[in-house]
Amino acid sequence: MTPDVRDGARGRPSRGAPARVLGGTAERPGGQAVGETAWTRVLSLVRQADEVALACHVSPDGDALGSMLAVGLVLRSMGKRVVASFGDRNFAVPRLLRFLPGQDLLVPPAGYPAEPDLMITFDSSTLDRLGLLAVNAGKAREVVVMDHHPSNTGFGTIGIIDPDAAATAVLAEQLIYRLGGGLDRDVATCLYAGLVTDTGSFRHSSTTASAHEMAARLVATGLRTDEIARELWDRSPFGYLKVLGAALERVTLEDGLIWTYVTRLDRAAYGLPYEEVEAIIDVVRRTDEAEVAVVLKEDDLGAWQVSTRSKGAVDMAAVCAALGGGGHRSAAGFTSHESVEATMDNIRALLPRKA
């Protein structure tokens, strides 16, 4: 594939794109790190396409799935044929996200176009994160990568990549407006789920004035933010509490690092799907004595999906990138096929040593 199209010296995204007028207010809603050449090419490709194939990363979170569905709904309203998917072998929308509109656009990987003319990916920093759909991306004529991870590897033919954006949903909203689309309640619900998920309900350092301004535009469509919050954070099956208890029972604190793990057997005892243990990291990371938190979660195939968090002093994106993953400075992850002990040794070796 050809390199992604970006302006600026040495392939870096150019800064200083003009402010857009959204919702009647001159704002910079995101995408300002993306050169106008890239935006122009993307808009041309979308307008010329009869069918647009959308994809997000495996085990999608609110930002990945919400951004993809929001753009899919708008493209369909424009008369485009739209197909959307993510490349999990066990294809299923996570329970916490089943309230999102637009899921009739989704097809399993087997039903996805084998060689799309135009493919747009959301919130995926590497080709591998597309899972089964990485093969389809490799055969696509054009692949537009929409992402906000600093660790993005630059795969695809066009990059709409802004590490300063609070969420990929910010870039999805920008694409919608640039295409001449608007916000209705369904589109806004999808975008809001992405925005609040990746800002941690506006608690993370990625939260900016623009993020709050975007939230205001979305809420103005008539969203019930209390209902969205309940779906995302205030629901869990009873088995989650038992598995959380097991994870906390074996939690270990050592020299500024706190970590634990969840096995397949832990989950199987209560019929708990893998997706239900994602939030354990948010409990563990609260520990005052630790700068870095790590949770290893064994998936259904026996691999360890590793979630990491930092309070800011340690760049976990760099640590996880060195281990084949990526993410943000304060929240990143990777997949390990080694034992728990070996995986933790690999992480420790990359953490800065205290003086």
Side-chain angles (χ1 to χ4, degrees):
M1 292 184 180
T2 58
D4 46 329
V5 176
R6 303 187 189 184
D7 290 345
R10 299 182 183 177
R12 292 192 297 268
S14 64
R15 300 281 173 175
R20 303 283 293 176
V21 177
L22 304 183
T25 305
E27 300 162 352
R28 300 172 66 86
Q32 59 263 37
V34 181
E36 286 300 314
T37 301
W39 276 119
T40 299
R41 186 175 169 196
V42 170
L43 297 178
S44 176
L45 288 171
V46 171
R47 287 168 178 150
Q48 293 175 20
D50 294 322
E51 180 179 74
V52 184
L54 309 178
C56 65
H57 64 67
V58 293
S59 301
D61 57 13
D63 193 25
L65 189 62
S67 298
M68 179 175 70
L69 293 178
V71 171
L73 287 168
V74 171
L75 292 177
R76 183 167 63 182
S77 73
M78 295 170 59
K80 305 292 183 181
R81 293 196 307 274
V82 180
V83 60
S85 189
F86 46 91
D88 287 277
R89 294 186 181 278
N90 297 321
F91 181 79
V93 173
R95 179 187 60 80
L96 296 177
L97 300 177
R98 290 176 188 165
F99 73 94
L100 290 178
Q103 294 186 39
D104 57 312
L105 296 170
L106 295 173
V107 300
Y112 199 80
E115 300 180 8
D117 280 338
L118 176 58
M119 183 173 179
I120 304 178
T121 72
F122 296 86
D123 207 42
S124 187
S125 58
T126 67
L127 185 63
D128 289 345
R129 288 285 284 154
L130 295 177
L132 297 177
L133 296 181
V135 174
N136 307 68
K139 296 179 179 179
R141 179 175 298 176
E142 298 279 2
V143 178
V144 176
V145 176
M146 303 197 72
D147 188 30
H148 72 128
H149 291 97
S151 59
N152 192 284
T153 59
F155 74 98
T157 60
I158 309 174
I160 302 295
I161 301 166
D162 184 358
D164 293 329
T168 297
V170 174
L171 301 174
E173 188 203 29
Q174 178 73 194
L175 176 60
I176 289 168
Y177 276 108
R178 285 176 178 260
L179 286 169
L183 300 177
D184 61 18
R185 187 169 177 173
D186 283 351
V187 173
T189 296
C190 293
L191 292 175
Y192 187 82
L195 183 64
V196 297
T197 297
D198 264 34
T199 60
S201 289
F202 308 107
R203 292 174 297 171
H204 297 340
S205 60
S206 59
T207 303
T208 61
S210 291
H212 284 293
E213 289 163 357
M214 177 177 172
R217 291 192 294 274
L218 301 177
V219 173
T221 66
L223 297 187
R224 288 294 304 273
T225 56
D226 57 332
E227 294 178 357
I228 294 174
R230 187 177 306 115
E231 293 289 344
L232 290 174
W233 295 294
D234 295 338
R235 294 182 58 196
S236 62
F238 175 73
Y240 168 76
L241 297 179
K242 304 295 283 188
V243 173
L244 173 63
L248 295 180
E249 182 68 24
R250 60 173 72 108
V251 72
T252 301
L253 177 66
E254 50 182 69
D255 195 25
L257 166 68
I258 188 164
W259 65 276
T260 189
Y261 62 93
V262 177
T263 70
R264 282 186 291 180
L265 292 179
D266 291 334
R267 295 188 291 107
Y270 301 98
L272 199 67
Y274 167 82
E275 68 201 47
E276 297 288 352
V277 298
E278 292 282 3
I280 290 177
I281 187 67
D282 293 319
V283 177
V284 175
R285 69 177 177 83
R286 299 173 186 169
T287 305
D288 287 339
E289 295 87 347
E291 166 64 27
V292 172
V294 177
V295 175
L296 295 82
K297 301 155 294 181
E298 189 179 17
D299 65 22
D300 293 336
L301 299 177
W304 292 100
Q305 304 299 331
V306 184
S307 296
T308 74
R309 297 291 186 271
S310 164
K311 292 176 182 174
V314 179
D315 185 355
M316 294 312 298
V319 171
C320 291
L323 297 172
H328 303 281
R329 181 180 182 87
S330 299
F334 66 96
T335 300
S336 174
H337 297 281
E338 300 187 64
S339 67
V340 169
E341 294 77 12
T343 300
M344 288 307 304
D345 284 343
N346 292 337
I347 293 173
R348 292 187 192 97
L350 293 167
L351 293 177
R353 298 184 182 277
K354 290 187 175 182

